[in-house]
Amino acid sequence: MKPLKLAIQKSGRLSDDSLALLRACGIRFNNGIGKLRTEALNFPLELFFLRDDDIPQYVTDGIADLGIVGENVLYEKAQPLPIVAKLGFGKCRLSLAVPKNSGYRRLEDLNGQRIATSYPRLLQGFLETNGLKAELHEISGSVEIAPSIGLADAICDLVSSGSTLFTNGLREVETVLQSEAVLVQAQRLASEKLVLLNRLLFRIEAVQKAQQNKYILLNAPNDRLDKIISLLPGIKSPTLLPLAIEGWSSLHSVIEENEFWEVIEQLKAAGAEGILVLPIEKMIS
Ligand code: PRT
Ligand code: ZN
């Protein structure tokens, strides 16, 4: 069987998380990681290690069937590749920033300004959408120093924590794009490759669901069970087991990470005791 060919970033911010995702999907590699390519040991998958900027082109040309890349790179390269999964890592935003003592107040203040960026296409699109005209200076790195050396009045660059902007005396004023790592596929994939892709997506979904949920166990008096069960719908319904003490039960269920603390407070108020919360490794519903 021909393996699926997946391009990931060779070394950079997306590399570790891309490999960790594949490992969480149960896919193992020999120690070829760091070379140009390597084959998985237990899944028909071949990995290509590339610069992130090259990944959309490799997938468009069909040299790779799939790629993991930031949306920022994908849209800047303007390759119309279908996104098959959002991966939840590599989160950042493409933002406009100005020197902190600049008189900038609103978008129109960008008119006629010089803006340095590595993302000219995305920035141009943003300016056009907002009916603005500015002078773009495309530079490939260290965009944040452009204002201090007098090259630009503003910059448009990726931000995650904001500390780079802060240390360079810049203030973030507008968001052009929110971005995260995505899995993209080539436009035309042979049917046997689509079968493999679906197997991979099934695993990715199980890993993502597991990350978004926790397993919860608790004890409760039987006369409080109705209320407690209404707080914990579970996948189908919670599992209920009698405790050795008369009148008490143990209840097992899953709970979503993002509503976790609120539900725990409500469970306690409803009479739950001995609450244990465990990570889930894989979740298949
Ligand atoms: O060598 P190669 O071309 O493959 O790598 P690269 O240097 O072009 O990219 P890399 O590894 O820096 O980033 C890869 C991808 O990670 C990006 O395309 C984004 O999708 C994503 N990502 C997430 C980020 C950031 N967060 C990020 N903070 N990419 C870059 N940054 C930079 C930003 O450019 C700025 O210099 O980090 C600085 C800002 O960070 P904060 O935390 O100070 O705000
Ligand atoms: Zn790059």
Side-chain angles (χ1 to χ4, degrees):
M1 189 191 295
K2 279 194 190 150
L4 261 184
K5 292 177 286 181
L6 167 64
I8 67 169
Q9 192 185 21
K10 182 174 166 61
S11 97
R13 289 170 192 262
L14 304 182
S15 310
D16 288 349
D17 285 334
S18 302
L19 287 170
L21 173 67
L22 295 172
R23 289 200 183 98
C25 289
I27 301 173
R28 289 187 290 117
F29 302 92
N30 59 26
N31 50 12
I33 287 169
K35 296 190 187 142
L36 185 60
R37 59 208 270 183
T38 189
E39 273 182 33
L41 300 170
N42 58 350
F43 194 89
L45 182 77
E46 188 174 0
L47 279 188
F48 290 176
F49 299 97
L50 301 170
R51 286 201 56 190
D52 66 344
D53 317 71
D54 296 333
I55 290 176
Q57 191 65 51
Y58 272 72
V59 179
T60 300
D61 293 345
I63 295 168
D65 303 312
L66 302 169
I68 293 179
V69 70
E71 289 172 284
N72 52 308
V73 170
L74 184 66
Y75 303 143
E76 182 63 26
K77 300 288 173 192
Q79 304 280 7
L81 297 170
I83 293 177
V84 286
K86 291 207 165 206
L87 301 177
F89 57 82
K91 285 191 175 171
C92 57
R93 52 198 186 274
L94 182 66
S95 285
L96 281 153
V98 296
K100 63 173 187 284
N101 53 6
S102 137
Y104 179 95
R105 285 200 180 168
R106 53 204 168 91
L107 264 182
E108 291 68 38
D109 295 339
L110 292 171
N111 271 324
Q113 300 283 289
R114 297 164 303 155
I115 311 177
T117 189
S118 310
Y119 292 87
R121 186 189 295 262
L122 284 171
L123 175 56
Q124 192 59 48
F126 176 84
L127 294 173
E128 276 165 22
T129 306
N130 289 286
L132 304 166
K133 276 209 166 67
E135 204 182 292
L136 266 53
H137 288 261
E138 185 178 349
I139 48 179
S140 59
S142 304
V143 175
E144 64 279 0
I145 64 165
S148 64
I149 59 172
L151 180 72
D153 307 303
I155 67 162
C156 177
D157 199 12
L158 297 178
V159 182
S160 44
S161 70
S163 68
T164 303
L165 292 184
F166 182 79
T167 45
N168 285 281
L170 298 168
R171 138 172 98 91
E172 190 175 354
V173 290
E174 306 289 341
T175 303
V176 172
L177 175 81
Q178 294 282 354
S179 175
E180 67 183 272
V182 291
L183 180 69
V184 290
Q185 73 158 87
Q187 291 285 2
R188 276 178 292 278
L189 281 186
S191 57
E192 81 246 27
K193 297 255 172 136
L194 283 174
V195 171
L196 291 178
L197 171 58
N198 282 331
R199 282 179 60 199
L200 181 64
L201 285 175
F202 178 78
R203 294 186 187 197
I204 290 176
E205 215 174 282
V207 168
Q208 287 181 334
K209 269 202 205 137
Q211 285 165 352
Q212 288 154 11
N213 289 275
K214 297 268 184 272
Y215 192 78
I216 180 164
L217 302 89
L218 58 85
N219 296 329
N222 287 345
D223 59 357
R224 304 282 176 82
L225 283 176
D226 286 350
K227 171 72 185 158
I228 290 179
I229 288 172
S230 74
L231 295 169
L232 283 175
I235 297 180
K236 199 164 215 146
S237 87
T239 306
L240 205 53
L241 300 164
L243 286 192
I245 307 173
E246 187 77 15
W248 281 74
S249 297
S250 164
L251 197 138
H252 298 205
S253 191
V254 288
I255 177 170
E256 263 189 51
E257 174 83 49
N258 57 13
E259 57 184 29
F260 178 78
W261 288 111
E262 265 168 48
V263 176
I264 296 282
E265 284 162 14
Q266 292 169 14
L267 287 170
K268 282 197 65 145
E273 292 180 11
I275 303 173
L276 293 182
V277 178
L278 309 172
I280 300 174
E281 199 180 291
K282 306 284 187 296
M283 188 164 155
I284 296 130
S285 49

